[in-house]
Amino acid sequence: MKLSVIKAYMLKEFTELFRSKLIIMVYVMPSMIMLLFGYGIRMDVTHARTLIIDNDHSHFSRMLTAKFEHSKYFNAKLTQISEAEALHRIKQAKADIIVIIPSSFEKRILHGQHSEIGVFVDGAFPNRGMTMESYVQGVILDTAQSVGRSLGRQSGMISINSRNLFNQAMRDADAIVPGLIGLVLFVAPAILSALMIVKEKERGTIFNFYASPLGRGEFLAAKLIPGFLLHSLNIFILFLWATELFGVPFRGSFMLYWFAAEIYILISLSIGMLVSVITRKQVVAVVLTIIITIIPGFLYSGILMPISSMAGESYIEAHLFPVMYFNHIIYDCFLSGTGLASAKTVEYLGILIVYAALLLALGSMFLKKELK
Amino acid sequence: MADLEVRNVTVSYKKQIGIKAASLQANAGEIIGFIGADGAGKSSLMHAIAGVIRFEGEISYFSEVYHSPAEAEKIKPYMGLMPQGIGLVLYETLTVDEHLSFFAHIRNLRQDAAFKAYRQKLLHMAGLSDFTDRQAGKLSGGMMQKLSLICTLLHRPKLLILDEPTTGVDPLSRLELWEILDTIRKEEGTIILVSTAYMQEAAKMDRVLLFDEGEILARGRVSELIDSVRAYTYEEGACIGKDNAESGCLSFDKRSYSLDTLAAAHAEPTLEALFFVNALRKKRILPKIEIEARESTLEIPETVMEAKGLTKNFGDFTANDHIDMRLGSGEIVGLLGANGAGKTTFMKMLLGLYPIDEGELKLLGKSIKSSEDRQVLKAKIGYVSQHFALYKDMTVRENLIYFANMHRIPLSTALKRIERYARELGFDAYMEHLPGELPLGINQRFSVAAALLHEPVILFLDEPTSGVDTIARAQFWEMLHRLKATWGISILITTHYMSEAEYCDRVVLMRQGKKIADNTVKALYAKHPQARNFEDIFLSYYRSEA
């Protein structure tokens, strides 16, 4: 390994990256994914269009209506239309929820009789439907308690006192954005390193490596270090997007976040290198890298569902990819801040380091200095 | 023992053998030429010697012996390889200067005063001293090859392996490349292995190896090889009456070849005779060509196409500067010039692929101005591009049907025509094959068939013979002459083989976007009585105006 040789080769790589404008992709793509997904994925529901048909016009029914109207989760509208007409509105996708208050609502409650409120929820998107349903139930339960209190009954038979840990505000961004960093830093460096090696194969310039005394280690170093340095900057850029734009809190150690992210980039670069071993065309390399990285990067990132709730094959698969380990650390850094005090974080960091070392070794083993 | 010894080297790929049990010896200061058709095994052997591909057998270079790429690492400091393909080892966005520093660095050369002087000398020899700031992607093909060569020479290799360094390069650049090689071998005592498609070049080498189907068929000094085929070479015209494959008689470039004794005078053979004699021996001749008259009857005027002062600018670079050209009916015009002289741009303008910046273009007496006019233009011209624009995933038949659809030829007519062309041009046996599985000579024929489907009045051919072996080239020209005779079609063709210029009725010579000569071959010879062949005429034009 001669440092001057690596330096000269790296200089060539940087010159090419800048002159071929590939450098734009290195910085635009990660931020673009972050912004698109960050704004695009919304799990919580706000401003659900709610039609309330009040057939009772009583004090209690107005109380219930008011609760809906004052909630940020609903855009409630009191109407006089028929039930059939209201259902038609849902079909036309002009409303999400219908709440029907029966005509003798107050009277029955005052008589201590059972009363039913009709609720229809658009369940086209199951997740969203379930969320809306639970919101509606919450509002009704809340109203029922108020009603109970106003009737002077000692209603506090059951009361729910829930508090969300780690993501107290239950904000979507807090749950998704750290996972996105894990996704982006898995995809982008891999594409770059795959491109940088396969480009030489496709063009034919790889002969300069094959036919010269240049060592495999020198070649790999010259190919991986530029990607490593360039993407190291992305660690900071993505951090700023997360904390400044999406307002995600950061409670842990920045050094831990930084260190883990650098190791993670190394893993991603090695995956790209492995892809370049088996491909000859840049297009194929890019598509293959995207398939290999983006699917596990997304599915097993913990964005869609927590790994702990996975079962069987998906649980095993999740543990095979490095995404899960990194995301554990990153969510810890952003949301809980336990850091190295948690044995699991230390273990996962260790796994990441082993991963990086293993992939780098595999890559340099498979990269042959000869034509196929 | 020779300085370089190759013993029983075999290179095999997944499906086929690249080269089988090849041996050779070479000594310091020798130039060994590799000749043979595409896929004959030249590149495979070169890659094995360069240690960039796995092989069986043994290679020794002085005291170093190697059997694999890994073992070959120890000779790489002394070795230089220039693989096949124009500018293949260059980085498009790096300048000439940056290339030289890059290659010096990765070879870990000490950049002292002696190195700098050598580097200057190489730049000067390659004529690149004034272009050190230009990016490789913006150099002409000839300049790219010269830059590749000096990058390969930078570390003063003692074993230089050059795979078709001159293919697709114009005669002048070719000559300059050879001058560099000759100087280097004399000064440095380098062993040079070089493959070439140009037999005039092969004739300059110390020894020549003839490759065919993965074997070395013949080897020796040029004079020995030529002697070996003298008995089968006759004067032009000896084949008349039985001029074709089945009769075992072939003609090309003023000579006829036959294994049988003919009652005709013998001619002095060139190295090309080796190919013809080998093909005759192996009875491996492409099917013959018969062409019938076109289906549509057409009144073709005396002048089919006329260009006046055609100009094309790319930014502040003038690719074509006021070029006049006339294409008469049934005329074959050769468009010659160095790489980057503007031949392809000119052809694309005539085709209507580029808008014309200045000047006038007339087709069949009508001026071409609007884009609708250009549409009419395209319908009258058949075009075969530099690398045969065929679809690799479709069979020959599917390709032809696709091209017929593009020209909106009714399917029934198209199918009939495709059958007819396949029969006449002799590729009907290959209709269900993919282009990648076929010899280049067959691809070349069916590309022409695709360009003829709409029965054009003009045929444009952009370097149709580059990389095609001698015999396929001979038959290609025979086909063009038959087309001209039976169809009355006009042909505009570009080529880097100067011997092919002699088959044209008229030659247009271009240099740096300008027309510098336009005359019949006969008149050009009359003007240059000292010229031995057309290459001399070409070079005299380029030199006198340089």
Side-chain angles (χ1 to χ4, degrees), chain B residues 103 151 165 199 206 221 383 467 521 528 541 544:
Chain B
F103 280 91
C151 285
M199 292 308 123
D206 297 326
R221 301 195 170 280
Y383 175 57
V521 177
H528 301 265
Y541 270 101
S544 65

Side-chain angles (χ1 to χ4, degrees), chain B residues 132-143:
Chain B
T132 49
D133 289 333
R134 192 176 290 190
Q135 293 186 7
K138 290 178 183 145
L139 295 173
S140 72
M143 284 160 112

Side-chain angles (χ1 to χ4, degrees), chain B residues 244-389:
Chain B
N244 224 307
E246 280 103 89
S247 58
C249 201
L250 293 168
S251 298
F252 187 55
D253 200 13
K254 298 177 188 160
R255 290 168 189 86
S256 295
Y257 307 95
S258 172
L259 295 179
D260 308 323
T261 318
L262 297 181
H266 281 283
E268 178 63 23
T270 63
L271 281 171
E272 275 172 349
L274 288 171
F275 291 96
F276 288 96
V277 171
N278 180 41
L280 287 169
R281 276 193 185 132
K282 291 198 167 174
K283 299 208 178 354
R284 193 187 47 215
I285 312 277
L286 295 175
K288 66 173 180 181
I289 293 163
E290 289 297 336
I291 291 167
E292 285 166 39
R294 66 170 87 217
E295 287 168 26
S296 52
T297 46
L298 199 66
E299 205 58 45
I300 302 173
E302 192 73 4
T303 300
V304 182
M305 188 173 232
E306 195 166 19
K308 277 204 185 112
L310 283 199
T311 300
K312 179 81 205 163
N313 301 308
F314 294 108
D316 48 6
F317 170 69
T318 307
N320 283 168
D321 190 3
H322 295 93
I323 295 178
D324 302 330
M325 197 202 65
R326 186 188 153 271
L327 193 58
S329 79
E331 195 177 25
I332 299 182
V333 174
L335 193 56
L336 307 180
N339 298 98
K343 303 185 299 282
T344 303
T345 308
F346 183 59
M347 219 180 228
K348 284 188 174 163
M349 223 165 13
L350 296 183
L351 262 172
L353 294 178
Y354 283 149
I356 297 163
D357 288 349
E358 209 182 298
E360 197 191 12
L361 179 63
K362 273 188 179 167
L363 176 77
L364 302 174
K366 255 183 67 185
S367 187
I368 303 292
K369 286 202 176 79
S370 63
S371 59
E372 289 88 60
D373 289 346
R374 286 215 292 272
Q375 228 38 53
V376 175
L377 184 70
K378 283 177 200 166
K380 296 275 185 236
I381 302 177
Y383 175 57
V384 179
S385 74
Q386 235 168 41
H387 305 287
F388 313 141

Side-chain angles (χ1 to χ4, degrees), chain A residues 2 4-5 8-9 12 15-16 19-20 200 203-205 207-208 210-214 368-371, chain B residues 47 52 54 69 73 76 79 81 83 87-94 98 102-103 105-108 135:
Chain A
K2 288 197 190 69
S4 63
V5 174
Y9 211 114
K12 185 223 87 178
T15 315
E16 276 195 298
R19 294 208 185 134
S20 66
E200 296 226 20
R203 288 266 310 145
T205 45
F207 274 106
N208 295 335
Y210 290 161
S212 72
L214 197 70
K368 288 273 154 57
K369 211 181 153 180
E370 61 188 51
L371 283 169
Chain B
H47 289 162
V52 298
R54 236 175 282 180
E73 277 303 288
K76 286 189 180 165
M79 197 237 354
L81 167 69
L88 193 83
V89 295
L90 303 180
Y91 301 94
E92 273 177 23
T93 54
L94 260 56
E98 285 164 344
F102 172 70
F103 280 91
H105 273 113
I106 64 165
R107 292 267 178 190
N108 207 23
Q135 293 186 7

Side-chain angles (χ1 to χ4, degrees), chain B residues 111-286:
Chain B
Q111 306 203 21
D112 50 15
F115 170 81
K116 283 188 184 125
Y118 181 59
R119 174 188 156 131
Q120 260 345 94
K121 185 181 145 194
L122 286 177
L123 272 173
H124 181 74
M125 276 203 286
L128 288 169
S129 308
D130 297 335
F131 301 98
T132 49
D133 289 333
R134 192 176 290 190
Q135 293 186 7
K138 290 178 183 145
L139 295 173
S140 72
M143 284 160 112
M144 280 190 190
Q145 288 304 80
K146 280 183 274 182
L147 176 59
S148 305
L149 181 62
I150 63 169
C151 285
T152 316
L153 291 174
L154 208 55
H155 62 289
R156 299 173 185 253
K158 296 286 166 218
L159 172 58
L160 189 58
I161 301 170
L162 309 169
D163 197 355
E164 301 210 2
T166 53
T167 294
V169 175
D170 61 84
L172 189 65
S173 299
R174 241 154 45 205
L175 216 63
E176 288 164 350
L177 273 165
W178 272 100
E179 279 163 12
I180 300 177
L181 282 186
D182 210 41
T183 317
I184 290 296
R185 122 171 119 145
K186 279 181 192 140
E187 288 178 3
E188 312 270 328
T190 315
I191 301 176
I192 304 178
L193 306 179
V194 53
S195 62
T196 180
Y198 301 92
M199 292 308 123
Q200 297 102 309
E201 281 178 10
K204 294 180 197 161
M205 317 215 189
D206 297 326
R207 278 187 295 131
V208 170
L209 307 182
L210 172 68
F211 286 69
D212 189 49
E213 295 184 317
E215 283 178 88
I216 299 177
L217 278 190
R219 63 180 79 213
R221 301 195 170 280
V222 176
S223 56
E224 291 165 11
L225 289 172
I226 285 182
D227 284 344
S228 73
V229 289
R230 180 159 280 132
Y232 314 113
T233 312
Y234 297 89
E235 293 277 1
E236 189 176 28
C239 282
I240 283 174
K242 48 179 171 175
D243 194 358
N244 224 307
E246 280 103 89
S247 58
C249 201
L250 293 168
S251 298
F252 187 55
D253 200 13
K254 298 177 188 160
R255 290 168 189 86
S256 295
Y257 307 95
S258 172
L259 295 179
D260 308 323
T261 318
L262 297 181
H266 281 283
E268 178 63 23
T270 63
L271 281 171
E272 275 172 349
L274 288 171
F275 291 96
F276 288 96
V277 171
N278 180 41
L280 287 169
R281 276 193 185 132
K282 291 198 167 174
K283 299 208 178 354
R284 193 187 47 215
I285 312 277
L286 295 175

